[in-house]
Each structure stands twice: as C-alpha cells, then as structure tokens.
Amino acid sequence: MLPRLEELSKEYENSKFFPIDTKKNPEVSGEFLVFVTPVLIIYYDGIEIMKKVRFFSISEIKSEIEKFLEKIL
C-alpha cells in the first residue's frame, strides 16, 4: 500500500508525503490519535480533511481528494 500511496501523492502538485512508522515513533500515535494501522491522514492548509483507517483503496482516496479539490477550486 505504501508505494501506491506515494505514487498517488506525486499526482498532486505541491503535495507532500510523510510515511511514519508508529512503532519507531510512538509519540505520533498519541498526537494524531492513531490506534490501528494503516492510517492515512490528509491535511489541507493545516486542517485534517480526511482520515482513513485500515481498509481503504487508492481509487477511494483519489475520488475523495478530487471531490474536495472541486469544492475548493
């Protein structure tokens, strides 16, 4: 899943992708309320706009990003 998410991030200009290993960085789990993995959290201008936990597809993520971008542009 990680390589596919990284590829997806390249499709969006000015996006940044930060994979974080919560086992190596347990403080991140508390800060972002991550209780299970995988978790995908997407921010726009510092505001969380999407959080997907465990079962999600790349097409689902892409569709939701596109819907969000349509609303703001």
Side-chain angles (χ1 to χ4, degrees):
M1 178 66 74
L2 192 60
R4 294 188 341 219
L5 288 171
E6 191 167 14
E7 281 301 311
L8 178 63
S9 74
K10 292 176 184 176
E11 292 182 32
Y12 297 95
E13 191 175 320
N14 299 319
S15 69
K16 296 176 184 171
F17 182 71
F18 300 99
I20 299 170
D21 185 338
T22 56
K23 290 181 182 176
K24 292 180 181 176
N25 302 286
E27 68 281 359
V28 173
S29 295
E31 184 175 340
F32 293 95
L33 304 175
V34 174
F35 303 110
V36 296
T37 57
V39 174
L40 172 68
I41 305 172
I42 297 178
Y43 286 87
Y44 181 82
D45 279 344
I47 299 169
E48 183 179 311
I49 61 162
M50 184 188 316
K51 187 173 195 174
K52 296 289 182 182
V53 180
R54 278 200 150 159
F55 304 106
F56 51 87
S57 68
I58 297 299
S59 60
E60 174 187 4
I61 299 302
K62 188 171 184 169
S63 174
E64 290 191 36
I65 290 171
E66 292 299 323
K67 286 177 189 175
F68 175 79
L69 291 174
E70 284 175 16
K71 289 179 184 179
I72 64 163
L73 299 178

